[in-house]
Amino acid sequence: MNRRTLVLSVLLLLCSLLAPLPEAEAGPDPKALAEEIARELGKKFRPDQLTVTTDGSTAYVEARGAWIDKIRIDSLRLEATLKPERTPVSGDADALAGLIASSVGELTLLEKDVNGYFAKNEESGFTGLHFDFTPSGFQAKGVYSATFLFTFRIRLAATGVLALRPEGIILDQVAMFVEGLKQPDSFTARVVSSVNPLLEFRDIPFPVTFKRLTMTDSEVTLTGGPKRLDQGATAVWKRPQP
């Protein structure tokens, strides 16, 4: 190798060493991501208020007064795993499916909110359907309307339990009574099918896991054991005032 070639080789080597390294692709800004998730959750579930904390890969959500399947949810908590390659948000609330890969949740549904729903909605065929929760199940009363050859109205009473299923919260193990007389299973199944599921998870546009259901005299709680996120950026969303 001659002197000229050696000098050129050294210069090329020095240029390659001194050339700036390509910048690593920046990850999502946690604050902007928290605000994005809060905005989309707010549009979808219309809570009184919610808080989102995220570190870029996981998000922790707390909400009060959210709405799922037309029923008010007193409290909602989510621990969500975010998708590494997120679909750009298009302004549609269902864009949450492009942000959240999976989640574990916890929600509390109050007896008074269930009764408030049925007081305003008679699509199930019931009028004045009223639930009384207990730690072991529920009691319910209401007037049921149905049409065969003619329309008839029956005052019914029922006992049963609330059960957790993949599709939502359902009425299970129901016994139905008319004037104290237990009704046939076929009739009970027909009436219960008009109410089930009591709360449907299909209204949640991303996967969420609940593992157990517990009841008290005033509420039912579903939980999958979400864990709080101790660090990250936080955003707060509040329902706009009318």
Side-chain angles (χ1 to χ4, degrees):
M1 179 182 296
N2 59 39
R3 183 183 180 87
R4 180 182 179 87
T5 303
L6 179 61
V7 170
L8 288 174
S9 298
V10 171
L11 288 174
L12 289 173
L13 177 60
L14 288 172
C15 289
S16 66
L17 292 174
L18 296 175
L21 296 174
E23 293 185 6
E25 184 177 349
D29 174 48
K31 181 64 175 179
L33 183 58
E35 291 173 349
E36 179 183 28
I37 295 170
R39 181 176 65 250
E40 294 303 316
L41 287 170
K43 288 192 297 185
K44 179 61 181 176
F45 298 120
R46 299 171 289 126
D48 297 332
Q49 178 175 314
L50 68 82
T51 302
V52 176
T53 300
T54 182
D55 59 7
S57 61
T58 303
Y60 176 74
V61 180
E62 288 189 351
R64 300 286 300 185
W67 293 82
I68 298 176
D69 195 22
K70 299 181 181 180
I71 298 181
R72 183 184 182 276
I73 306 300
D74 189 59
S75 66
L76 174 66
R77 297 199 302 129
L78 293 170
E79 179 191 358
T81 300
L82 304 179
K83 292 184 176 180
E85 297 181 0
R86 288 179 277 279
T87 303
V89 173
S90 63
D92 183 345
D94 288 342
L96 285 164
L99 290 168
I100 298 175
S102 62
S103 66
V104 292
E106 180 175 289
L107 66 81
T108 298
L109 176 62
L110 301 184
E111 175 189 278
K112 70 181 184 67
D113 289 326
V114 173
N115 290 330
Y117 166 77
F118 283 106
K120 297 177 181 178
N121 296 274
E122 298 183 2
E123 298 174 0
S124 63
F126 275 97
T127 302
L129 181 58
H130 182 88
F131 282 85
D132 182 13
F133 289 176
T134 72
S136 59
F138 70 85
Q139 298 176 352
K141 294 181 180 180
V143 176
Y144 181 70
S145 300
T147 301
F148 293 102
L149 298 176
F150 54 90
T151 300
F152 64 91
R153 292 163 58 84
I154 307 173
R155 184 170 295 279
L156 297 174
T159 61
V161 300
L162 296 183
L164 177 61
R165 296 290 184 270
E167 67 271 24
I169 303 175
I170 69 165
L171 310 186
D172 198 20
Q173 302 177 29
V174 178
M176 200 154 288
F177 303 87
V178 175
E179 296 184 354
L181 298 177
K182 188 175 184 298
Q183 299 303 295
D185 290 344
S186 57
F187 175 77
T188 298
R190 176 189 175 105
V191 175
V192 171
S193 67
S194 69
V195 177
N196 272 337
L198 179 65
L199 179 70
E200 192 167 16
F201 296 156
R202 186 174 61 180
D203 197 41
I204 304 175
F206 50 84
V208 58
T209 298
F210 300 103
K211 294 181 179 180
R212 65 180 184 274
L213 178 153
T214 58
M215 296 184 68
T216 71
D217 289 330
S218 60
E219 63 189 35
V220 54
T221 298
L222 310 181
T223 187
K227 297 179 181 178
R228 298 178 186 275
L229 189 62
D230 295 328
Q231 59 185 4
T234 298
V236 177
W237 186 95
K238 294 183 179 180
R239 183 186 299 169
Q241 295 299 316

